[in-house]
Amino acid sequence: MPAGPDRDAETSGCESTAASPTDRARNAVSRRRLLSATAAGSATALAGCTELLSGGGGDPLRVSVWSGNYADRFEESVVSRYEDEFDAEVQLEPGWNNILSDIQTAPDDDPPYDVTITEGNFYYYGRQDDLFHEIRTENVPNFDEVIDYYAEFRNTEYGMPVDGAPCTIIHREGMDFEPDSWADLSSPAVAESNGVGVDTGFWWYPMYAAAVGMDEAELGEEMHDADLHDDVLETVREWPVESWASSGEDIWQAFQNDVIDVAQWYYEQTAYDIDDYDGLTHTMPEETTGYLNHWCVVEGTDKRDQAEEFINFLMDSEVQTAWSEEMPTLFCNENTEYAGDLADDLPSNSEEARNIAFPDWEFLSEHSGDLSDDFTEMQSNA
């Protein structure tokens, strides 16, 4: 996802998801709901077989994660540790825009995953379609160590805040100035450069970045005022966008081909990868936008206890500390100790976390169709 917040920065051919997360989650006919009547009718007949059908027979815990190097690094730094500690097997299911639709179209009692990752968009629409179990907080005691802001700013009834990433500004080292705020993308220096690259799969992040740079309202609140949406769109239109990227590979390639000199991208897909590219660096704005992953137990799983155990494991400060050595990810446990100099850029407390404008899908859901259409039209007319 970061190629989009969680798409692979090193894999080409990633599918653009400009409208699919919202549209699929909002418009897809849920087979889960169509089957609910049948499921209710057969509940009594199945009751005596619950023990035989449930986990405990050695089946792996199926965990859906963002595809690409997120999945690779997650497996290296987290999965092996969990399997060793709990003598259990995890089956990773990397994906992106198919995650919600896979759950929606599966039978009620046979979901494709036991645990799934979600960012704000997926988390909101997944809750609307009843795709997740409520989290039983007594089974996730590490929630007590979550930074207060992450525990409060978004509903945690169906998912636990674990990790995420702010947006950062990638730019050439040889530029005459160092862009260090989103307002700089509207500066004459950037206008005179080769151009800018932005994400199109997650159109809301360039828009939130533009809103943060506008500074007409508090930290991106322009996006939460429908009367200001045209102003935000106009700000993005005025950027010299030359790369409308659907993957991280698009951004890196645009730099290598001298198409762009500056880009909006994601810290988690940048900080540990940028050294692979000559002449590039990145600067984290003091105020920015970004995404936060909530991890959910999928409705219908027969491994609900183990799924909550796994999520609690992800929330452990020692696990997150070790995880940061492999992935430059924002973490939510207040006791996490970031590897290297990551703490210079990533928030470690509520005060710092409040400098990231996380999209509010409770509000955006009413406007996302129009905003997506306007962003797509902007791209088509470029």
Side-chain angles (χ1 to χ4, degrees), residues 203 207-208 211 220-225 229 232 363-364 371:
W203 52 263
M207 291 192 65
Y208 269 84
E221 283 297 313
E222 293 90 343
M223 287 297 294
H224 304 148
D225 182 343
H229 286 171
V232 177
F363 175 85
L364 282 185
L371 289 171

Side-chain angles (χ1 to χ4, degrees), residues 173-195:
E173 293 178 323
M175 295 183 67
D176 292 336
F177 89 117
E178 177 181 306
D180 60 7
S181 74
W182 294 112
D184 286 337
L185 270 65
S186 300
S187 68
V190 170
E192 295 169 2
S193 73
N194 282 334

Side-chain angles (χ1 to χ4, degrees), residues 195-263:
V196 171
V198 299
D199 186 14
T200 59
F202 302 89
W203 52 263
W204 44 95
Y205 293 112
M207 291 192 65
Y208 269 84
V212 171
M214 289 167 59
D215 202 25
E216 294 182 10
E218 183 179 357
L219 191 64
E221 283 297 313
E222 293 90 343
M223 287 297 294
H224 304 148
D225 182 343
D227 292 337
L228 295 177
H229 286 171
D230 286 343
D231 294 342
V232 177
L233 286 161
E234 186 59 29
T235 298
V236 179
R237 287 190 189 97
E238 292 175 352
W239 291 349
V241 178
E242 296 293 338
S243 176
W244 301 87
S246 62
S247 71
E249 178 65 22
D250 290 345
I251 288 292
W252 301 124
Q253 195 64 54
F255 275 112
Q256 291 179 308
N257 292 343
D258 294 327
V259 173
I260 60 174
D261 288 333
V262 180

